[in-house]
C-alpha cells in the first residue's frame, strides 16, 4: 500500500472523500505532510510501525552460519525481526522454487544434537537475535550455493512521496 492509498482511505474514512473519489494534488500533498508528521510523532513516542521487506542472499557451500547486519556476511541493516525465510532452489532457473525454512526457537535449536550435518537444501533456520549482528544458523548446512530469501521487519519512518509503498 502506498502513501496515496493510505491518504485516500483515511479521507474516505473521515467522509472527506466519497467512495471512488481521489484527493486533489494539493490535498494529497498536504495529507502527505500530515502523514509524515504523524509518523515522526509516533517515532518520537517510540511507537514503531513496520513493513516487511524481502532481501535475497547467496549461501556459500559448506558454510552453515552467517551474520546479518551492516558489515556482516549478509551486509544489510540489521532488522528488528526476521519474519520468515526460504531457500530459492534454482534447479529450473525459469521457475525458481522457494522452499520455506522452519524457524527454530532457542529451545528447538538446542535439541539439534549434531549441527554440522550437510545436505543440498537446508530445512531449518535458527536466528539467535544477537546484536549488533544476528547470527543465522542453517541446518542442514547447504553443500551448494543456494539463495536464501529473508523476510524482515523494517521500521517505517516517513514516506518520500505519494507513491512510496
Amino acid at each position: 500500500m502506498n502513501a496515496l492509498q493510505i491518504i485516500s482511505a483515511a479521507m474516505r474514512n473521515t467522509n472527506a472523500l466519497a467512495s471512488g473519489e481521489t484527493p486533489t494534488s494539493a490535498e494529497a500533498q498536504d495529507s502527505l505532510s500530515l502523514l509524515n508528521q504523524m509518523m515522526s510523532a509516533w517515532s518520537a513516542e517510540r511507537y514503531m510501525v513496520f513493513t516487511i521487506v524481502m532481501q535475497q542472499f547467496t549461501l556459500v557451500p559448506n558454510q552453515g552460519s552467517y551474520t546479518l547486519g551492516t558489515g556482516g556476511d549478509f551486509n544489510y541493516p540489521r532488522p528488528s525481526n526476521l519474519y520468515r525465510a526460504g531457500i530459492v532452489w534454482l534447479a529450473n532457473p525459469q521457475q525458481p522454487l522457494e522452499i520455506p525454512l522452519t524457524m527454530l526457537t532457542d529451545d528447538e535449536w538446542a535439541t539439534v544434537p549434531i549441527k554440522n550435518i550437510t545436505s543440498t537444501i537446508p530445512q531449518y533456520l535458527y536466528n539467535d537475535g544477537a546484536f549488533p549482528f544476528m547470527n543465522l544458523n542453517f541446518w542442514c548446512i547447504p553443500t551448494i550455493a543456494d539463495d536464501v530469501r529473508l523476510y524482515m521487519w523494517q521500521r517505517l519512518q516517513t514516506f518520500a512521496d505519494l507513491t512510496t509503498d
Side-chain angles (χ1 to χ4, degrees):
M1 180 173 265
N2 65 32
L4 183 58
Q5 291 168 323
I6 293 170
I7 289 165
S8 298
M11 292 179 78
R12 279 191 294 281
N13 195 38
T14 60
N15 294 321
L17 289 179
S19 180
E21 288 184 334
T22 57
T24 67
S25 179
E27 290 171 334
Q29 288 301 321
D30 288 345
S31 297
L32 178 62
S33 294
L34 290 171
L35 177 59
N36 282 333
Q37 288 174 16
M38 180 181 70
M39 297 298 291
S40 294
W42 284 354
S43 182
E45 292 292 323
R46 297 188 181 178
Y47 300 140
M48 295 182 199
V49 180
F50 294 92
T51 185
I52 296 174
V53 296
M54 185 276 297
Q55 289 293 317
Q56 190 162 313
F57 304 97
T58 300
L59 301 176
V60 177
N62 300 308
Q63 181 178 336
S65 184
Y66 298 82
T67 54
L68 171 61
T70 303
D73 298 318
F74 297 157
N75 188 13
Y76 187 82
R78 185 191 183 281
S80 300
N81 186 32
L82 186 57
Y83 179 67
R84 71 183 187 94
I87 292 295
V88 180
W89 195 40
L90 299 172
N92 179 355
Q94 273 61 34
Q95 294 178 324
L97 177 65
E98 183 171 343
I99 302 167
L101 289 168
T102 301
M103 306 282 288
L104 298 180
T105 65
D106 293 341
D107 289 339
E108 290 168 333
W109 180 248
T111 64
V112 175
I114 302 172
K115 295 181 172 56
N116 63 351
I117 293 175
T118 60
S119 177
T120 53
I121 299 174
Q123 299 172 5
Y124 300 99
L125 176 62
Y126 169 64
N127 170 19
D128 70 359
F131 188 84
F133 298 108
M134 288 181 171
N135 295 299
L136 306 180
N137 296 284
F138 292 85
W139 192 88
C140 300
I141 298 169
T143 57
I144 60 175
D146 292 319
D147 284 353
V148 63
R149 284 188 185 149
L150 301 179
Y151 297 83
M152 304 170 281
W153 285 10
Q154 179 177 326
R155 188 170 157 203
L156 186 60
Q157 296 184 3
T158 57
F159 294 88
D161 55 40
L162 291 167
T163 59
T164 301
D165 285 330

